[in-house]
Amino acid sequence: MGSPVQVQVSHLLGTPGRTDRRHWDVPLAVEMPVVRAGRARADLVLEGSHDGIRVSGTVEVDAQVSCYRCLEEWEEARVVPLDRTVRRLPDSDGYCITEDGWLRLDGIVVDEVVLSLPTAPLCETDCRGICSGCGVHLNADACKCVVEDRPSPFSVLSNFL
């Protein structure tokens, strides 16, 4: 990821309703087993409140996605909503406004993008995947495996039931 995106927010603290709009391209380096994202565009509104800053808006991200059953790849544009209030004391994720009034936005944006990405994407809800025997893509072709009809070595256990 690039350099941290920090904004001065001291002018918003303690002034409910006062806003500041921020747009920027966010360099992402998200590499998950079946999803990759390398660029995002943030459109955020920073709004002052009595005890912190509300960060709201959207992040548009282009992701390269692979089906976790058949490994088919596609591009997917996602719009990730963001709505979070950051205060002077660190929240459960460690985000806070520094004593001199600075707020780091890059980590917040990356966290929301990563949480929005699918962990087990499917190209189709009924994707049949890849045959573990012959490697054929079962959505496009029939399996070429030869099924041997032999008794299971565990069939003797059925006598004990």
Side-chain angles (χ1 to χ4, degrees), residues 9-48:
V9 294
S10 58
H11 64 286
L12 299 173
L13 289 169
T15 55
R18 187 171 180 186
T19 62
D20 191 358
R21 187 170 211 118
R22 299 292 172 139
H23 308 277
W24 86 97
D25 288 321
V26 182
L28 296 175
V30 176
E31 292 283 332
M32 295 167 50
V34 290
V35 181
R36 293 180 309 280
R39 183 196 74 72
R41 173 92 177 126
D43 181 12
L44 303 177
V45 174
L46 309 174
E47 181 180 350

PDB file of all heavy atoms in Angstrom, residues 9-48:
ATOM      1  N   VAL A   9      -8.463  17.076  11.114  1.00  0.00           N
ATOM      2  CA  VAL A   9      -9.893  17.154  11.429  1.00  0.00           C
ATOM      3  C   VAL A   9     -10.181  18.002  12.665  1.00  0.00           C
ATOM      4  O   VAL A   9     -11.329  18.070  13.109  1.00  0.00           O
ATOM      5  CB  VAL A   9     -10.501  15.739  11.621  1.00  0.00           C
ATOM      6  CG1 VAL A   9     -10.485  14.955  10.321  1.00  0.00           C
ATOM      7  CG2 VAL A   9      -9.803  14.982  12.732  1.00  0.00           C
ATOM      8  N   SER A  10      -9.182  18.686  13.164  1.00  0.00           N
ATOM      9  CA  SER A  10      -9.398  19.469  14.392  1.00  0.00           C
ATOM     10  C   SER A  10     -10.458  20.550  14.191  1.00  0.00           C
ATOM     11  O   SER A  10     -11.174  20.894  15.132  1.00  0.00           O
ATOM     12  CB  SER A  10      -8.082  20.077  14.884  1.00  0.00           C
ATOM     13  OG  SER A  10      -7.507  20.888  13.888  1.00  0.00           O
ATOM     14  N   HIS A  11     -10.588  21.091  12.971  1.00  0.00           N
ATOM     15  CA  HIS A  11     -11.599  22.115  12.699  1.00  0.00           C
ATOM     16  C   HIS A  11     -13.020  21.556  12.738  1.00  0.00           C
ATOM     17  O   HIS A  11     -13.989  22.307  12.828  1.00  0.00           O
ATOM     18  CB  HIS A  11     -11.322  22.791  11.343  1.00  0.00           C
ATOM     19  CG  HIS A  11     -11.434  21.872  10.176  1.00  0.00           C
ATOM     20  ND1 HIS A  11     -10.480  20.910   9.891  1.00  0.00           N
ATOM     21  CD2 HIS A  11     -12.390  21.762   9.221  1.00  0.00           C
ATOM     22  CE1 HIS A  11     -10.842  20.243   8.812  1.00  0.00           C
ATOM     23  NE2 HIS A  11     -11.990  20.743   8.380  1.00  0.00           N
ATOM     24  N   LEU A  12     -13.169  20.215  12.678  1.00  0.00           N
ATOM     25  CA  LEU A  12     -14.488  19.583  12.727  1.00  0.00           C
ATOM     26  C   LEU A  12     -14.882  19.144  14.131  1.00  0.00           C
ATOM     27  O   LEU A  12     -16.061  18.972  14.426  1.00  0.00           O
ATOM     28  CB  LEU A  12     -14.523  18.366  11.798  1.00  0.00           C
ATOM     29  CG  LEU A  12     -14.279  18.620  10.312  1.00  0.00           C
ATOM     30  CD1 LEU A  12     -14.188  17.305   9.566  1.00  0.00           C
ATOM     31  CD2 LEU A  12     -15.358  19.507   9.724  1.00  0.00           C
ATOM     32  N   LEU A  13     -13.895  18.955  14.985  1.00  0.00           N
ATOM     33  CA  LEU A  13     -14.171  18.478  16.344  1.00  0.00           C
ATOM     34  C   LEU A  13     -14.969  19.510  17.132  1.00  0.00           C
ATOM     35  O   LEU A  13     -14.654  20.695  17.125  1.00  0.00           O
ATOM     36  CB  LEU A  13     -12.872  18.165  17.082  1.00  0.00           C
ATOM     37  CG  LEU A  13     -12.127  16.931  16.597  1.00  0.00           C
ATOM     38  CD1 LEU A  13     -10.746  16.876  17.220  1.00  0.00           C
ATOM     39  CD2 LEU A  13     -12.923  15.677  16.913  1.00  0.00           C
ATOM     40  N   GLY A  14     -16.015  19.045  17.791  1.00  0.00           N
ATOM     41  CA  GLY A  14     -16.836  19.928  18.613  1.00  0.00           C
ATOM     42  C   GLY A  14     -17.751  20.835  17.818  1.00  0.00           C
ATOM     43  O   GLY A  14     -18.348  21.746  18.382  1.00  0.00           O
ATOM     44  N   THR A  15     -17.877  20.605  16.511  1.00  0.00           N
ATOM     45  CA  THR A  15     -18.774  21.423  15.678  1.00  0.00           C
ATOM     46  C   THR A  15     -19.737  20.493  14.930  1.00  0.00           C
ATOM     47  O   THR A  15     -19.515  20.164  13.769  1.00  0.00           O
ATOM     48  CB  THR A  15     -17.981  22.287  14.669  1.00  0.00           C
ATOM     49  OG1 THR A  15     -17.132  21.440  13.901  1.00  0.00           O
ATOM     50  CG2 THR A  15     -17.161  23.339  15.369  1.00  0.00           C
ATOM     51  N   PRO A  16     -20.780  20.042  15.607  1.00  0.00           N
ATOM     52  CA  PRO A  16     -21.734  19.124  14.980  1.00  0.00           C
ATOM     53  C   PRO A  16     -22.306  19.697  13.690  1.00  0.00           C
ATOM     54  O   PRO A  16     -22.645  20.874  13.613  1.00  0.00           O
ATOM     55  CB  PRO A  16     -22.830  18.953  16.033  1.00  0.00           C
ATOM     56  CG  PRO A  16     -22.188  19.337  17.315  1.00  0.00           C
ATOM     57  CD  PRO A  16     -21.155  20.366  16.975  1.00  0.00           C
ATOM     58  N   GLY A  17     -22.357  18.851  12.668  1.00  0.00           N
ATOM     59  CA  GLY A  17     -22.931  19.256  11.394  1.00  0.00           C
ATOM     60  C   GLY A  17     -21.934  19.833  10.409  1.00  0.00           C
ATOM     61  O   GLY A  17     -22.204  19.880   9.214  1.00  0.00           O
ATOM     62  N   ARG A  18     -20.791  20.278  10.851  1.00  0.00           N
ATOM     63  CA  ARG A  18     -19.776  20.816   9.927  1.00  0.00           C
ATOM     64  C   ARG A  18     -19.136  19.641   9.179  1.00  0.00           C
ATOM     65  O   ARG A  18     -18.782  18.635   9.783  1.00  0.00           O
ATOM     66  CB  ARG A  18     -18.723  21.593  10.703  1.00  0.00           C
ATOM     67  CG  ARG A  18     -17.756  22.313   9.780  1.00  0.00           C
ATOM     68  CD  ARG A  18     -16.873  23.249  10.556  1.00  0.00           C
ATOM     69  NE  ARG A  18     -15.976  23.917   9.623  1.00  0.00           N
ATOM     70  CZ  ARG A  18     -15.004  24.704  10.000  1.00  0.00           C
ATOM     71  NH1 ARG A  18     -14.799  24.945  11.287  1.00  0.00           N
ATOM     72  NH2 ARG A  18     -14.235  25.271   9.114  1.00  0.00           N
ATOM     73  N   THR A  19     -19.002  19.788   7.854  1.00  0.00           N
ATOM     74  CA  THR A  19     -18.514  18.669   7.052  1.00  0.00           C
ATOM     75  C   THR A  19     -17.328  19.061   6.184  1.00  0.00           C
ATOM     76  O   THR A  19     -17.086  20.239   5.919  1.00  0.00           O
ATOM     77  CB  THR A  19     -19.622  18.111   6.123  1.00  0.00           C
ATOM     78  OG1 THR A  19     -20.022  19.129   5.218  1.00  0.00           O
ATOM     79  CG2 THR A  19     -20.801  17.592   6.920  1.00  0.00           C
ATOM     80  N   ASP A  20     -16.647  18.035   5.747  1.00  0.00           N
ATOM     81  CA  ASP A  20     -15.508  18.165   4.838  1.00  0.00           C
ATOM     82  C   ASP A  20     -15.563  16.936   3.934  1.00  0.00           C
ATOM     83  O   ASP A  20     -15.668  15.813   4.424  1.00  0.00           O
ATOM     84  CB  ASP A  20     -14.209  18.187   5.654  1.00  0.00           C
ATOM     85  CG  ASP A  20     -13.006  18.588   4.831  1.00  0.00           C
ATOM     86  OD1 ASP A  20     -13.147  18.819   3.620  1.00  0.00           O
ATOM     87  OD2 ASP A  20     -11.906  18.656   5.421  1.00  0.00           O
ATOM     88  N   ARG A  21     -15.522  17.136   2.619  1.00  0.00           N
ATOM     89  CA  ARG A  21     -15.617  16.015   1.674  1.00  0.00           C
ATOM     90  C   ARG A  21     -14.226  15.677   1.158  1.00  0.00           C
ATOM     91  O   ARG A  21     -13.452  16.566   0.846  1.00  0.00           O
ATOM     92  CB  ARG A  21     -16.557  16.377   0.532  1.00  0.00           C
ATOM     93  CG  ARG A  21     -16.823  15.214  -0.361  1.00  0.00           C
ATOM     94  CD  ARG A  21     -17.943  15.513  -1.350  1.00  0.00           C
ATOM     95  NE  ARG A  21     -18.607  14.254  -1.597  1.00  0.00           N
ATOM     96  CZ  ARG A  21     -19.856  13.992  -1.331  1.00  0.00           C
ATOM     97  NH1 ARG A  21     -20.614  14.900  -0.798  1.00  0.00           N
ATOM     98  NH2 ARG A  21     -20.368  12.812  -1.602  1.00  0.00           N
ATOM     99  N   ARG A  22     -13.938  14.363   1.041  1.00  0.00           N
ATOM    100  CA  ARG A  22     -12.634  13.898   0.567  1.00  0.00           C
ATOM    101  C   ARG A  22     -12.828  12.850  -0.521  1.00  0.00           C
ATOM    102  O   ARG A  22     -13.633  11.939  -0.377  1.00  0.00           O
ATOM    103  CB  ARG A  22     -11.818  13.272   1.718  1.00  0.00           C
ATOM    104  CG  ARG A  22     -11.506  14.211   2.846  1.00  0.00           C
ATOM    105  CD  ARG A  22     -10.555  15.276   2.373  1.00  0.00           C
ATOM    106  NE  ARG A  22     -10.399  16.293   3.405  1.00  0.00           N
ATOM    107  CZ  ARG A  22      -9.252  16.843   3.708  1.00  0.00           C
ATOM    108  NH1 ARG A  22      -8.157  16.508   3.082  1.00  0.00           N
ATOM    109  NH2 ARG A  22      -9.210  17.778   4.638  1.00  0.00           N
ATOM    110  N   HIS A  23     -12.062  12.986  -1.604  1.00  0.00           N
ATOM    111  CA  HIS A  23     -12.036  12.014  -2.700  1.00  0.00           C
ATOM    112  C   HIS A  23     -10.577  11.643  -2.926  1.00  0.00           C
ATOM    113  O   HIS A  23      -9.725  12.528  -2.945  1.00  0.00           O
ATOM    114  CB  HIS A  23     -12.541  12.604  -4.012  1.00  0.00           C
ATOM    115  CG  HIS A  23     -13.870  13.276  -3.926  1.00  0.00           C
ATOM    116  ND1 HIS A  23     -15.044  12.584  -3.988  1.00  0.00           N
ATOM    117  CD2 HIS A  23     -14.202  14.573  -3.766  1.00  0.00           C
ATOM    118  CE1 HIS A  23     -16.049  13.451  -3.894  1.00  0.00           C
ATOM    119  NE2 HIS A  23     -15.563  14.654  -3.749  1.00  0.00           N
ATOM    120  N   TRP A  24     -10.308  10.376  -3.106  1.00  0.00           N
ATOM    121  CA  TRP A  24      -8.959   9.993  -3.494  1.00  0.00           C
ATOM    122  C   TRP A  24      -8.928   8.552  -3.978  1.00  0.00           C
ATOM    123  O   TRP A  24      -9.772   7.754  -3.642  1.00  0.00           O
ATOM    124  CB  TRP A  24      -7.951  10.245  -2.374  1.00  0.00           C
ATOM    125  CG  TRP A  24      -7.763   9.178  -1.354  1.00  0.00           C
ATOM    126  CD1 TRP A  24      -6.794   8.227  -1.344  1.00  0.00           C
ATOM    127  CD2 TRP A  24      -8.540   8.937  -0.185  1.00  0.00           C
ATOM    128  NE1 TRP A  24      -6.917   7.428  -0.246  1.00  0.00           N
ATOM    129  CE2 TRP A  24      -7.982   7.845   0.486  1.00  0.00           C
ATOM    130  CE3 TRP A  24      -9.664   9.541   0.379  1.00  0.00           C
ATOM    131  CZ2 TRP A  24      -8.499   7.338   1.668  1.00  0.00           C
ATOM    132  CZ3 TRP A  24     -10.173   9.044   1.553  1.00  0.00           C
ATOM    133  CH2 TRP A  24      -9.594   7.967   2.177  1.00  0.00           C
ATOM    134  N   ASP A  25      -7.919   8.267  -4.809  1.00  0.00           N
ATOM    135  CA  ASP A  25      -7.670   6.907  -5.256  1.00  0.00           C
ATOM    136  C   ASP A  25      -6.856   6.213  -4.178  1.00  0.00           C
ATOM    137  O   ASP A  25      -5.836   6.736  -3.736  1.00  0.00           O
ATOM    138  CB  ASP A  25      -6.904   6.891  -6.581  1.00  0.00           C
ATOM    139  CG  ASP A  25      -7.784   7.321  -7.747  1.00  0.00           C
ATOM    140  OD1 ASP A  25      -8.965   6.924  -7.760  1.00  0.00           O
ATOM    141  OD2 ASP A  25      -7.300   8.043  -8.624  1.00  0.00           O
ATOM    142  N   VAL A  26      -7.331   5.058  -3.767  1.00  0.00           N
ATOM    143  CA  VAL A  26      -6.685   4.320  -2.693  1.00  0.00           C
ATOM    144  C   VAL A  26      -5.914   3.157  -3.306  1.00  0.00           C
ATOM    145  O   VAL A  26      -6.514   2.281  -3.928  1.00  0.00           O
ATOM    146  CB  VAL A  26      -7.729   3.765  -1.693  1.00  0.00           C
ATOM    147  CG1 VAL A  26      -7.048   3.046  -0.554  1.00  0.00           C
ATOM    148  CG2 VAL A  26      -8.630   4.866  -1.198  1.00  0.00           C
ATOM    149  N   PRO A  27      -4.587   3.142  -3.165  1.00  0.00           N
ATOM    150  CA  PRO A  27      -3.834   1.986  -3.659  1.00  0.00           C
ATOM    151  C   PRO A  27      -4.001   0.815  -2.693  1.00  0.00           C
ATOM    152  O   PRO A  27      -3.647   0.915  -1.524  1.00  0.00           O
ATOM    153  CB  PRO A  27      -2.385   2.489  -3.688  1.00  0.00           C
ATOM    154  CG  PRO A  27      -2.347   3.594  -2.701  1.00  0.00           C
ATOM    155  CD  PRO A  27      -3.725   4.181  -2.615  1.00  0.00           C
ATOM    156  N   LEU A  28      -4.597  -0.252  -3.177  1.00  0.00           N
ATOM    157  CA  LEU A  28      -4.822  -1.432  -2.335  1.00  0.00           C
ATOM    158  C   LEU A  28      -3.842  -2.530  -2.718  1.00  0.00           C
ATOM    159  O   LEU A  28      -3.412  -2.617  -3.867  1.00  0.00           O
ATOM    160  CB  LEU A  28      -6.239  -1.976  -2.526  1.00  0.00           C
ATOM    161  CG  LEU A  28      -7.387  -1.087  -2.109  1.00  0.00           C
ATOM    162  CD1 LEU A  28      -8.705  -1.755  -2.487  1.00  0.00           C
ATOM    163  CD2 LEU A  28      -7.353  -0.813  -0.636  1.00  0.00           C
ATOM    164  N   ALA A  29      -3.531  -3.369  -1.783  1.00  0.00           N
ATOM    165  CA  ALA A  29      -2.722  -4.556  -2.047  1.00  0.00           C
ATOM    166  C   ALA A  29      -3.396  -5.725  -1.350  1.00  0.00           C
ATOM    167  O   ALA A  29      -2.822  -6.360  -0.480  1.00  0.00           O
ATOM    168  CB  ALA A  29      -1.304  -4.353  -1.559  1.00  0.00           C
ATOM    169  N   VAL A  30      -4.647  -5.997  -1.732  1.00  0.00           N
ATOM    170  CA  VAL A  30      -5.420  -7.062  -1.108  1.00  0.00           C
ATOM    171  C   VAL A  30      -5.207  -8.339  -1.908  1.00  0.00           C
ATOM    172  O   VAL A  30      -5.510  -8.390  -3.099  1.00  0.00           O
ATOM    173  CB  VAL A  30      -6.920  -6.702  -1.061  1.00  0.00           C
ATOM    174  CG1 VAL A  30      -7.735  -7.849  -0.495  1.00  0.00           C
ATOM    175  CG2 VAL A  30      -7.141  -5.429  -0.256  1.00  0.00           C
ATOM    176  N   GLU A  31      -4.651  -9.348  -1.263  1.00  0.00           N
ATOM    177  CA  GLU A  31      -4.398 -10.646  -1.889  1.00  0.00           C
ATOM    178  C   GLU A  31      -4.989 -11.725  -1.000  1.00  0.00           C
ATOM    179  O   GLU A  31      -4.373 -12.146  -0.029  1.00  0.00           O
ATOM    180  CB  GLU A  31      -2.894 -10.883  -2.059  1.00  0.00           C
ATOM    181  CG  GLU A  31      -2.217  -9.969  -3.055  1.00  0.00           C
ATOM    182  CD  GLU A  31      -2.479 -10.356  -4.501  1.00  0.00           C
ATOM    183  OE1 GLU A  31      -2.717 -11.558  -4.765  1.00  0.00           O
ATOM    184  OE2 GLU A  31      -2.441  -9.461  -5.352  1.00  0.00           O
ATOM    185  N   MET A  32      -6.195 -12.163  -1.343  1.00  0.00           N
ATOM    186  CA  MET A  32      -6.832 -13.248  -0.609  1.00  0.00           C
ATOM    187  C   MET A  32      -6.781 -14.476  -1.518  1.00  0.00           C
ATOM    188  O   MET A  32      -6.510 -14.339  -2.714  1.00  0.00           O
ATOM    189  CB  MET A  32      -8.272 -12.858  -0.258  1.00  0.00           C
ATOM    190  CG  MET A  32      -8.336 -11.679   0.704  1.00  0.00           C
ATOM    191  SD  MET A  32      -9.963 -10.908   0.881  1.00  0.00           S
ATOM    192  CE  MET A  32     -11.064 -12.242   1.185  1.00  0.00           C
ATOM    193  N   PRO A  33      -7.031 -15.681  -1.005  1.00  0.00           N
ATOM    194  CA  PRO A  33      -6.925 -16.874  -1.859  1.00  0.00           C
ATOM    195  C   PRO A  33      -7.745 -16.820  -3.149  1.00  0.00           C
ATOM    196  O   PRO A  33      -7.284 -17.274  -4.182  1.00  0.00           O
ATOM    197  CB  PRO A  33      -7.411 -18.002  -0.943  1.00  0.00           C
ATOM    198  CG  PRO A  33      -7.082 -17.525   0.426  1.00  0.00           C
ATOM    199  CD  PRO A  33      -7.292 -16.028   0.388  1.00  0.00           C
ATOM    200  N   VAL A  34      -8.950 -16.254  -3.117  1.00  0.00           N
ATOM    201  CA  VAL A  34      -9.782 -16.237  -4.326  1.00  0.00           C
ATOM    202  C   VAL A  34     -10.179 -14.829  -4.767  1.00  0.00           C
ATOM    203  O   VAL A  34     -10.958 -14.679  -5.709  1.00  0.00           O
ATOM    204  CB  VAL A  34     -11.051 -17.110  -4.152  1.00  0.00           C
ATOM    205  CG1 VAL A  34     -10.696 -18.584  -4.114  1.00  0.00           C
ATOM    206  CG2 VAL A  34     -11.825 -16.708  -2.914  1.00  0.00           C
ATOM    207  N   VAL A  35      -9.656 -13.795  -4.118  1.00  0.00           N
ATOM    208  CA  VAL A  35      -9.996 -12.421  -4.469  1.00  0.00           C
ATOM    209  C   VAL A  35      -8.743 -11.550  -4.393  1.00  0.00           C
ATOM    210  O   VAL A  35      -7.964 -11.657  -3.462  1.00  0.00           O
ATOM    211  CB  VAL A  35     -11.070 -11.836  -3.515  1.00  0.00           C
ATOM    212  CG1 VAL A  35     -11.440 -10.423  -3.912  1.00  0.00           C
ATOM    213  CG2 VAL A  35     -12.309 -12.701  -3.481  1.00  0.00           C
ATOM    214  N   ARG A  36      -8.592 -10.680  -5.414  1.00  0.00           N
ATOM    215  CA  ARG A  36      -7.513  -9.695  -5.414  1.00  0.00           C
ATOM    216  C   ARG A  36      -8.123  -8.332  -5.738  1.00  0.00           C
ATOM    217  O   ARG A  36      -8.996  -8.235  -6.591  1.00  0.00           O
ATOM    218  CB  ARG A  36      -6.463 -10.032  -6.482  1.00  0.00           C
ATOM    219  CG  ARG A  36      -5.693 -11.285  -6.202  1.00  0.00           C
ATOM    220  CD  ARG A  36      -4.671 -11.588  -7.288  1.00  0.00           C
ATOM    221  NE  ARG A  36      -5.179 -11.574  -8.649  1.00  0.00           N
ATOM    222  CZ  ARG A  36      -5.851 -12.563  -9.231  1.00  0.00           C
ATOM    223  NH1 ARG A  36      -6.116 -13.652  -8.566  1.00  0.00           N
ATOM    224  NH2 ARG A  36      -6.255 -12.472 -10.481  1.00  0.00           N
ATOM    225  N   ALA A  37      -7.653  -7.314  -5.048  1.00  0.00           N
ATOM    226  CA  ALA A  37      -8.103  -5.951  -5.329  1.00  0.00           C
ATOM    227  C   ALA A  37      -6.880  -5.049  -5.304  1.00  0.00           C
ATOM    228  O   ALA A  37      -6.067  -5.120  -4.392  1.00  0.00           O
ATOM    229  CB  ALA A  37      -9.130  -5.495  -4.302  1.00  0.00           C
ATOM    230  N   GLY A  38      -6.740  -4.219  -6.332  1.00  0.00           N
ATOM    231  CA  GLY A  38      -5.549  -3.398  -6.412  1.00  0.00           C
ATOM    232  C   GLY A  38      -5.803  -1.908  -6.534  1.00  0.00           C
ATOM    233  O   GLY A  38      -4.880  -1.121  -6.559  1.00  0.00           O
ATOM    234  N   ARG A  39      -7.060  -1.486  -6.623  1.00  0.00           N
ATOM    235  CA  ARG A  39      -7.361  -0.067  -6.763  1.00  0.00           C
ATOM    236  C   ARG A  39      -8.760   0.189  -6.223  1.00  0.00           C
ATOM    237  O   ARG A  39      -9.659  -0.630  -6.362  1.00  0.00           O
ATOM    238  CB  ARG A  39      -7.316   0.329  -8.234  1.00  0.00           C
ATOM    239  CG  ARG A  39      -7.535   1.807  -8.488  1.00  0.00           C
ATOM    240  CD  ARG A  39      -7.879   2.107  -9.940  1.00  0.00           C
ATOM    241  NE  ARG A  39      -9.239   1.737 -10.318  1.00  0.00           N
ATOM    242  CZ  ARG A  39     -10.342   2.358  -9.938  1.00  0.00           C
ATOM    243  NH1 ARG A  39     -10.288   3.376  -9.119  1.00  0.00           N
ATOM    244  NH2 ARG A  39     -11.528   1.969 -10.357  1.00  0.00           N
ATOM    245  N   ALA A  40      -8.901   1.345  -5.601  1.00  0.00           N
ATOM    246  CA  ALA A  40     -10.224   1.742  -5.112  1.00  0.00           C
ATOM    247  C   ALA A  40     -10.328   3.256  -5.201  1.00  0.00           C
ATOM    248  O   ALA A  40      -9.327   3.969  -5.262  1.00  0.00           O
ATOM    249  CB  ALA A  40     -10.427   1.281  -3.674  1.00  0.00           C
ATOM    250  N   ARG A  41     -11.544   3.752  -5.219  1.00  0.00           N
ATOM    251  CA  ARG A  41     -11.814   5.186  -5.258  1.00  0.00           C
ATOM    252  C   ARG A  41     -12.733   5.509  -4.094  1.00  0.00           C
ATOM    253  O   ARG A  41     -13.856   5.007  -4.013  1.00  0.00           O
ATOM    254  CB  ARG A  41     -12.466   5.555  -6.586  1.00  0.00           C
ATOM    255  CG  ARG A  41     -12.939   6.965  -6.678  1.00  0.00           C
ATOM    256  CD  ARG A  41     -11.853   7.852  -7.261  1.00  0.00           C
ATOM    257  NE  ARG A  41     -12.350   9.201  -7.405  1.00  0.00           N
ATOM    258  CZ  ARG A  41     -11.738  10.241  -6.899  1.00  0.00           C
ATOM    259  NH1 ARG A  41     -10.610  10.104  -6.264  1.00  0.00           N
ATOM    260  NH2 ARG A  41     -12.231  11.442  -7.054  1.00  0.00           N
ATOM    261  N   ALA A  42     -12.245   6.318  -3.175  1.00  0.00           N
ATOM    262  CA  ALA A  42     -13.024   6.680  -1.983  1.00  0.00           C
ATOM    263  C   ALA A  42     -13.695   8.032  -2.183  1.00  0.00           C
ATOM    264  O   ALA A  42     -13.092   8.960  -2.707  1.00  0.00           O
ATOM    265  CB  ALA A  42     -12.110   6.724  -0.763  1.00  0.00           C
ATOM    266  N   ASP A  43     -14.941   8.120  -1.770  1.00  0.00           N
ATOM    267  CA  ASP A  43     -15.708   9.360  -1.769  1.00  0.00           C
ATOM    268  C   ASP A  43     -16.330   9.454  -0.376  1.00  0.00           C
ATOM    269  O   ASP A  43     -17.335   8.807  -0.091  1.00  0.00           O
ATOM    270  CB  ASP A  43     -16.778   9.313  -2.854  1.00  0.00           C
ATOM    271  CG  ASP A  43     -17.591  10.592  -2.915  1.00  0.00           C
ATOM    272  OD1 ASP A  43     -17.193  11.603  -2.293  1.00  0.00           O
ATOM    273  OD2 ASP A  43     -18.646  10.590  -3.590  1.00  0.00           O
ATOM    274  N   LEU A  44     -15.681  10.232   0.506  1.00  0.00           N
ATOM    275  CA  LEU A  44     -16.070  10.246   1.908  1.00  0.00           C
ATOM    276  C   LEU A  44     -16.454  11.639   2.386  1.00  0.00           C
ATOM    277  O   LEU A  44     -15.925  12.636   1.901  1.00  0.00           O
ATOM    278  CB  LEU A  44     -14.914   9.736   2.776  1.00  0.00           C
ATOM    279  CG  LEU A  44     -14.395   8.337   2.455  1.00  0.00           C
ATOM    280  CD1 LEU A  44     -13.215   8.014   3.346  1.00  0.00           C
ATOM    281  CD2 LEU A  44     -15.492   7.305   2.597  1.00  0.00           C
ATOM    282  N   VAL A  45     -17.355  11.666   3.349  1.00  0.00           N
ATOM    283  CA  VAL A  45     -17.736  12.900   4.025  1.00  0.00           C
ATOM    284  C   VAL A  45     -17.311  12.754   5.479  1.00  0.00           C
ATOM    285  O   VAL A  45     -17.652  11.768   6.147  1.00  0.00           O
ATOM    286  CB  VAL A  45     -19.256  13.152   3.931  1.00  0.00           C
ATOM    287  CG1 VAL A  45     -19.642  14.368   4.761  1.00  0.00           C
ATOM    288  CG2 VAL A  45     -19.683  13.325   2.484  1.00  0.00           C
ATOM    289  N   LEU A  46     -16.560  13.732   5.960  1.00  0.00           N
ATOM    290  CA  LEU A  46     -16.162  13.781   7.366  1.00  0.00           C
ATOM    291  C   LEU A  46     -17.068  14.799   8.045  1.00  0.00           C
ATOM    292  O   LEU A  46     -17.157  15.939   7.600  1.00  0.00           O
ATOM    293  CB  LEU A  46     -14.703  14.206   7.497  1.00  0.00           C
ATOM    294  CG  LEU A  46     -13.703  13.438   6.639  1.00  0.00           C
ATOM    295  CD1 LEU A  46     -12.321  14.044   6.757  1.00  0.00           C
ATOM    296  CD2 LEU A  46     -13.678  11.981   7.033  1.00  0.00           C
ATOM    297  N   GLU A  47     -17.752  14.369   9.097  1.00  0.00           N
ATOM    298  CA  GLU A  47     -18.713  15.244   9.773  1.00  0.00           C
ATOM    299  C   GLU A  47     -18.361  15.350  11.247  1.00  0.00           C
ATOM    300  O   GLU A  47     -18.193  14.340  11.932  1.00  0.00           O
ATOM    301  CB  GLU A  47     -20.130  14.698   9.614  1.00  0.00           C
ATOM    302  CG  GLU A  47     -21.185  15.558  10.257  1.00  0.00           C
ATOM    303  CD  GLU A  47     -22.586  14.976  10.077  1.00  0.00           C
ATOM    304  OE1 GLU A  47     -22.764  14.027   9.300  1.00  0.00           O
ATOM    305  OE2 GLU A  47     -23.497  15.496  10.742  1.00  0.00           O
ATOM    306  N   GLY A  48     -18.272  16.572  11.718  1.00  0.00           N
ATOM    307  CA  GLY A  48     -17.946  16.810  13.118  1.00  0.00           C
ATOM    308  C   GLY A  48     -19.102  16.473  14.037  1.00  0.00           C
ATOM    309  O   GLY A  48     -20.263  16.517  13.646  1.00  0.00           O
TER     310      GLY A  48
END
